[in-house]
Amino acid sequence: MRTRGMRATRLTLVCSGITQRMRKAGFPLFDETLEKRSVELASAFGRERSNTNRVLVAPSLRAQQTAHFMGLRATVHDSLRDQNYGVWEGKTPDEIE
């Protein structure tokens, strides 16, 4: 049976690039910037991406920067917010113990 008028939707999920704190196995800060290598990778990946109709991004700075360096015009969507790390935010496991 052939259905007319239906279009396939392509969903691509991209995680944010890495920050210095994440590289050290730490819990990320909400407003932490991407490390240099993540900027380079996002920029390179952005040149290879396909056309997009709509891009949603988490409110964290690193997520917004990743989308920006990929050349995407993204809309911040609060439901994509990272979990709340509470008092662990920005700390490494050694700092928590």
Side-chain angles (χ1 to χ4, degrees):
M1 181 166 127
R2 186 173 164 178
T3 305
R4 295 177 190 222
M6 291 185 68
R7 292 179 39 194
T9 299
R10 179 179 178 173
L11 175 64
T12 303
L13 302 175
V14 179
C15 66
S16 70
I18 296 176
T19 66
Q20 289 292 332
R21 191 167 313 277
M22 293 166 73
R23 175 79 57 203
K24 296 176 182 174
F27 293 94
L29 291 168
F30 181 76
D31 60 352
E32 189 174 9
T33 61
L34 294 175
E35 68 175 11
K36 182 181 177 183
R37 180 69 178 141
S38 289
V39 170
E40 294 167 354
L41 290 171
S43 297
F45 183 76
R47 289 190 295 273
E48 302 296 323
R49 68 180 169 80
S50 61
N51 291 336
T52 57
N53 293 325
R54 184 174 181 200
V55 178
L56 303 177
V57 65
S60 69
L61 179 59
R62 67 185 181 278
Q64 293 181 56
Q65 286 181 327
T66 301
H68 170 78
F69 288 115
M70 289 176 67
L72 301 171
R73 293 188 56 166
T75 301
V76 174
H77 202 283
D78 199 56
S79 66
L80 298 173
R81 179 180 297 276
D82 203 353
Q83 70 184 42
N84 183 345
Y85 295 107
V87 297
W88 291 9
E89 182 178 354
K91 295 184 179 176
T92 64
D94 289 341
E95 295 171 318
I96 293 169
E97 292 179 6

